[in-house]
Amino acid sequence: MTIANGQLTTKSGYLPSEVLSMIFAHAVPLEDFECTTPDLFEAPLNVSHVCRLWRQIALSTACLWDGVHFAATRDRIFDNVNLLNLWIQRSAHLPFGVRLSAVMEDDALFQFEMDNNPDYDYWKGVRMFVDSVLKCSDRWRVVELMVPEIPFATPIMQALVNSTTIQHFGVSSQYLGLYEPPQDYDFSNNQNLETVRFVTPLIRPVVQPDVSVALKSLVSLELHFCPSFTTCLTWIDMCPNLINLGLRLFITNEAVIPLQSRHTRALLNLESLELTFLAANVRSNPGQLLDILVCPSLTSLEVDLNYMYDAESWPHAADFLGRSHASLTELILLGTPMNTQDILQCLVLSPELESFTTDIAQTAVVEALCPRLLPQGDVTPSIGLLDHLASMRVEASLEAAGIVRNETNSGPEYFKMDIDSPVDATGGEGREEDEIEDISRYAMLCPNLEYFEVDDVDSIPLNTLCTLLKTRCMDFLPGIAEFAEDFHPVPT
C-alpha cells in the first residue's frame, strides 16, 4: 500500500472514502468515556491537515469529533473554548462528550480553597466554556467539569435535570465550601446515567419516594466530601444496581444515622466498595453505613478511617462481611481502630482473599497467616482449617506454602510441612515435624493470598517474619539466598 496525491492506493486502485473514514476512526486515541485530547500530532487533527481530500473526509466523519477532553489549566482555557466549539460543530448531531478535568492526587483535594486574589480571566474563560457546553445539552453523552466553585456549574446542573441522554456526569470544585448548605437537584429524568462522580459536598439529590424512578443504569458512584449519612443513603436508595461505590465522608452535621433510615439496603451487584472518613465531626461513626448494607457479590473492600475515629473495637467490617457472605479477593484496612480479633475475623470470612493491605502491624495477624501445625486434638475455629482438599486452588496454595503431598500413602491423604520452625499460636517456636501429619492438623488462613502489605513490621518478631517468608514467599526466597545463608534466627 502506498500514498499518492493524498490517497492511499493498492494494486486494485484507490481506497474508497468510506474505508478511509473507518481508518481515521480507528486512529483516534480514545481516553476515558471515549473522549480524546486535542493534539496536532494525533487523529483527528493530524489527518485533517494532510491534503484537501483527507480534510474533507475527516470533517465529514462526525464520529471523529464526538468526544473531547481538556486539562483544566489556567493558561489554556480560552484555547480550550475555541477547540470545544470546533468539536461541537464537527460532531454534527451525534451524542457528545466533554471533559474539563485535572489529574489530582488525593492529598491535593485538601488544597482546593480559593486564592485570595482569584484569576478573573480564568473565571471568564470557565464561564465561556460552560456556555459552549450548554449549546449541545440536547445530546449530552458525557459531561465532566472541574470549576473554581459550584456556582459556575449551576447552569449545567439546571440543564442536566432535563437530560435523558447523558450517561456519565461529574463535577469537581476547587472551592469545596464544606460548611455551606448544599443545593438539591432532581436526577429522576437521567435514566441513562451510568457513572456519577462528585468532588464537592454542595450537590445533593432530591429524595425520590417512588422506587420506579430509580437510576437503574447507574453502576459507578463516587461521592467525595459527602456531608451527611442521609445524602449517602439517598444516593444508595436511588441506585440499586451499583457495581462500584466510593464514599468519602466529611460528616459535619450528623453523629448518627436517623432512625427512619436504618433499614437494610441490599446491593446485590456491588463488587467494589470504598469507605473513606475525613471527619470534621469526630462523634460520627462511619461503621453505621456498613451496618445497614448487604453486598453478596462484593470482591473488593477498602476502609480508610484516617485515624479519625477512636474505639477499643470496630467490628463493623467483620459484621458486614459475615452478613453479606461475600467472597473477597481484596481487602484494605487503614487507620481503623480494629483489634486483633476484628481483623482475624475479617480474614476468616474471606477464604478466597488474594490481596490484603493494612497499616496495623499486629504480630498475631502475621502469625495467623503462617501455615502452622496444631497440637494433637486442638481445634482453632477462629482461624479455620482446610476443608476442601479436592480444590485445585487450595492444593496449589499448599504446594506454594511448602506443604507436600505424600503419594505413597493409602486411605486418607497426608501432608507434611516443609518449614524448620513453625510458629505456634502463642508466637513461640513450635516443635519440628519430620513425620507425616494429617492435613486436618494444619491451619492455613487465606490460602490464596498472594499480596500482603503492612506499613510497619518493627514490632513483629523476626522469627515470625522469617516463617512468613518461608511459607508464603517461595518465589522470593531464591533472591535472598545469600542473605539467608548468613541469617541466624534470634532466640525467642
Side-chain angles (χ1 to χ4, degrees):
M1 183 177 293
T2 60
I3 186 168
N5 297 324
Q7 176 62 287
L8 293 175
T9 64
T10 65
K11 291 182 179 180
S12 60
Y14 293 109
L15 287 178
S17 297
E18 294 81 3
V19 175
L20 278 175
S21 179
M22 294 177 62
I23 294 174
F24 294 167
H26 284 286
V28 175
L30 296 178
E31 302 171 6
D32 292 342
F33 308 124
E34 297 184 355
C35 295
T36 183
T37 299
D39 189 333
L40 289 175
F41 301 100
E42 298 281 357
L45 289 179
N46 64 346
V47 298
S48 65
H49 289 81
V50 172
C51 66
R52 182 181 300 176
L53 176 62
W54 280 30
R55 180 173 180 81
Q56 180 182 356
I57 295 174
L59 297 188
S60 61
T61 306
C63 65
L64 303 182
W65 314 91
D66 64 353
V68 62
H69 172 230
F70 304 101
T73 55
R74 295 174 181 266
D75 58 335
R76 293 295 305 274
I77 187 62
F78 292 103
D79 292 336
N80 291 345
V81 172
N82 294 331
L83 287 170
L84 173 60
N85 290 326
L86 185 68
W87 250 257
I88 292 175
Q89 177 185 357
R90 295 179 177 178
S91 62
H93 300 290
L94 292 181
F96 190 75
V98 56
R99 302 175 61 217
L100 179 68
S101 61
V103 178
M104 300 171 296
E105 301 296 336
D106 287 348
D107 54 0
L109 295 176
F110 296 100
Q111 304 171 8
F112 266 22
E113 298 302 321
M114 293 300 297
D115 300 330
N116 293 329
N117 298 312
D119 186 345
Y120 290 105
D121 286 338
Y122 176 66
W123 286 23
K124 180 181 178 181
V126 173
R127 290 192 178 95
M128 293 174 61
F129 192 95
V130 170
D131 290 341
S132 295
V133 174
L134 289 170
K135 293 178 182 178
C136 58
S137 60
D138 60 329
R139 54 190 181 98
W140 280 344
R141 176 178 58 86
V142 177
V143 174
E144 181 180 343
L145 298 176
M146 192 186 79
V147 294
E149 53 186 5
I150 282 299
F152 285 81
T154 298
I156 299 290
M157 297 298 304
Q158 293 173 343
L160 177 72
V161 298
N162 297 316
S163 175
T164 59
T165 61
I166 193 163
Q167 299 175 0
H168 310 281
F169 184 69
V171 172
S172 305
S173 62
Q174 291 176 278
Y175 172 66
L176 291 176
L178 292 170
Y179 298 98
E180 297 181 12
Q183 296 295 316
D184 293 332
Y185 293 95
D186 186 354
F187 295 91
S188 60
N189 289 330
N190 309 131
Q191 292 298 306
N192 289 318
L193 265 179
E194 299 176 7
T195 301
V196 168
R197 183 176 187 267
F198 290 143
V199 186
T200 174
L202 301 181
I203 297 176
R204 183 172 60 188
V206 173
V207 177
Q208 301 293 340
D210 187 357
V211 295
S212 64
V213 298
L215 303 178
K216 297 181 181 180
S217 297
L218 196 69
V219 295
S220 181
L221 173 64
E222 291 185 48
L223 304 178
H224 299 247
F225 299 97
C226 193
S228 71
F229 291 126
T230 301
T231 299
C232 291
L233 294 177
T234 300
W235 275 109
I236 291 174
D237 290 338
M238 290 173 56
C239 312
N241 298 320
L242 284 174
I243 296 177
N244 302 298
L245 175 60
L247 300 176
R248 299 192 172 189
L249 305 176
F250 192 90
I251 308 298
T252 59
N253 54 5
E254 284 182 321
V256 296
I257 293 177
L259 184 62
Q260 66 273 17
S261 299
R262 295 184 190 176
H263 60 276
T264 301
R265 276 81 169 172
L267 296 176
L268 302 181
N269 300 323
L270 195 70
E271 298 177 2
S272 175
L273 173 60
E274 176 191 350
L275 179 61
T276 302
F277 199 41
L278 309 168
N281 183 348
V282 294
R283 299 175 301 160
S284 302
N285 179 4
Q288 297 177 81
L289 279 177
L290 293 178
D291 291 342
I292 58 177
L293 292 179
V294 176
C295 307
S297 300
L298 198 70
T299 59
S300 176
L301 174 64
E302 178 178 352
V303 179
D304 187 354
L305 303 191
N306 289 285
Y307 297 102
M308 291 189 178
Y309 180 78
D310 191 18
E312 294 183 358
S313 176
W314 203 78
H316 305 280
D319 292 345
F320 165 66
L321 293 176
R323 183 172 58 254
S324 298
H325 300 287
S327 297
L328 287 187
T329 57
E330 180 182 32
L331 177 62
I332 300 175
L333 301 173
L334 302 173
T336 62
M338 299 174 70
N339 58 32
T340 301
Q341 185 61 33
D342 294 336
I343 297 177
L344 286 177
Q345 187 66 19
C346 287
L347 297 178
V348 169
L349 293 169
S350 307
E352 300 296 322
L353 199 66
E354 298 176 1
S355 175
F356 177 44
T357 301
T358 181
D359 54 4
I360 306 172
Q362 297 182 355
T363 301
V365 174
V366 178
E367 290 174 349
L369 291 173
C370 300
R372 56 209 178 106
L373 183 66
L374 298 174
Q376 186 69 35
D378 193 10
V379 179
T380 312
S382 63
I383 294 180
L385 304 172
L386 292 178
D387 298 322
H388 307 288
L389 301 180
S391 169
M392 295 301 295
R393 295 188 66 187
V394 171
E395 292 201 16
S397 300
L398 293 174
E399 182 178 357
I403 304 176
V404 182
R405 179 191 296 272
N406 186 344
E407 302 289 355
T408 62
N409 285 299
S410 60
E413 296 174 341
Y414 291 89
F415 296 75
K416 67 177 180 179
M417 190 75 75
D418 186 22
I419 58 177
D420 294 334
S421 302
V423 179
D424 64 17
T426 61
E429 285 189 349
R431 56 190 179 90
E432 286 193 4
E433 293 293 333
D434 294 328
E435 69 273 13
I436 297 172
E437 296 287 348
D438 192 313
I439 185 59
S440 65
R441 294 182 56 205
Y442 287 101
M444 177 181 283
L445 193 61
C446 304
N448 300 322
L449 192 67
E450 298 178 354
Y451 179 87
F452 175 47
E453 178 180 349
V454 61
D455 285 353
D456 183 11
V457 296
D458 289 344
S459 62
I460 301 176
L462 193 56
N463 283 339
T464 302
L465 293 176
C466 182
T467 302
L468 182 67
L469 286 174
K470 296 176 72 174
T471 58
R472 291 282 192 174
C473 308
M474 303 302 293
D475 293 338
F476 174 71
L477 284 179
I480 60 170
E482 183 176 350
F483 167 80
E485 291 177 358
D486 299 330
F487 173 73
H488 301 286
V490 178
T492 57

